[in-house]
Amino acid sequence: MRVHLDPASKTPLYEQLRIEILDLVRSGELIAETKIPTVRGLAAELSIAPHTVAKAYRELEQQGVIEARGRLGTFIASGGDPTEDSAARAAMTYVAELRALGLSDQRVRDLVDNALAAS
């Protein structure tokens, strides 16, 4: 997950993180059912305190943007258009299956392009 925080900003780090994740969801870079890093993992990646990430995650969960699933982890929540969510989940499953077969991302794109052209 690509997140950029500015320690010199007057905006608290947890708020910057919350906004960054929200922007990634709105842009479609993070879609429904995407697993996001653990609090500790993201804190280590960003070199910030875990409680900062936890606070951002709590606020995002209250907003319905993410959902914690216990030991399974934290995921981008389903919301909005159920058709879009279903399509996004199907695409994620498809990509995961093709990657498991050892296909490159470019080959996956080519297969999708060919399927679209044929239909």
Side-chain angles (χ1 to χ4, degrees):
M1 183 165 60
R2 286 176 271 169
V3 177
H4 306 286
L5 303 179
D6 178 7
S9 173
K10 292 182 181 182
T11 304
L13 289 175
Y14 80 89
E15 182 65 10
Q16 290 181 50
L17 179 57
R18 185 191 69 78
I19 291 168
E20 285 276 321
I21 293 172
L22 191 55
D23 286 346
L24 291 171
V25 170
R26 287 182 177 154
S27 73
E29 193 168 328
L30 288 176
I31 60 173
E33 301 300 319
T34 301
K35 186 174 182 176
I36 61 175
T38 64
V39 168
R40 288 183 184 163
L42 188 55
E45 182 181 324
L46 298 173
S47 299
I48 60 176
H51 77 274
T52 301
V53 176
K55 185 169 184 176
Y57 277 18
R58 271 193 309 274
E59 291 196 8
L60 287 165
E61 190 168 18
Q62 289 171 350
Q63 291 177 302
V65 176
I66 64 173
E67 55 187 35
R69 298 182 187 165
R71 291 180 179 226
L72 294 176
T74 303
F75 296 80
I76 301 300
S78 297
D81 183 352
T83 303
E84 285 290 322
D85 286 346
S86 180
R89 282 191 298 277
M92 295 271 300
T93 300
Y94 179 72
V95 169
E97 288 176 9
L98 292 180
R99 282 182 175 161
L101 293 172
L103 298 178
S104 69
D105 286 356
Q106 186 56 54
R107 183 65 184 131
V108 172
R109 286 184 195 93
D110 292 342
L111 289 170
V112 170
D113 288 343
N114 291 341
L116 288 170
S119 58

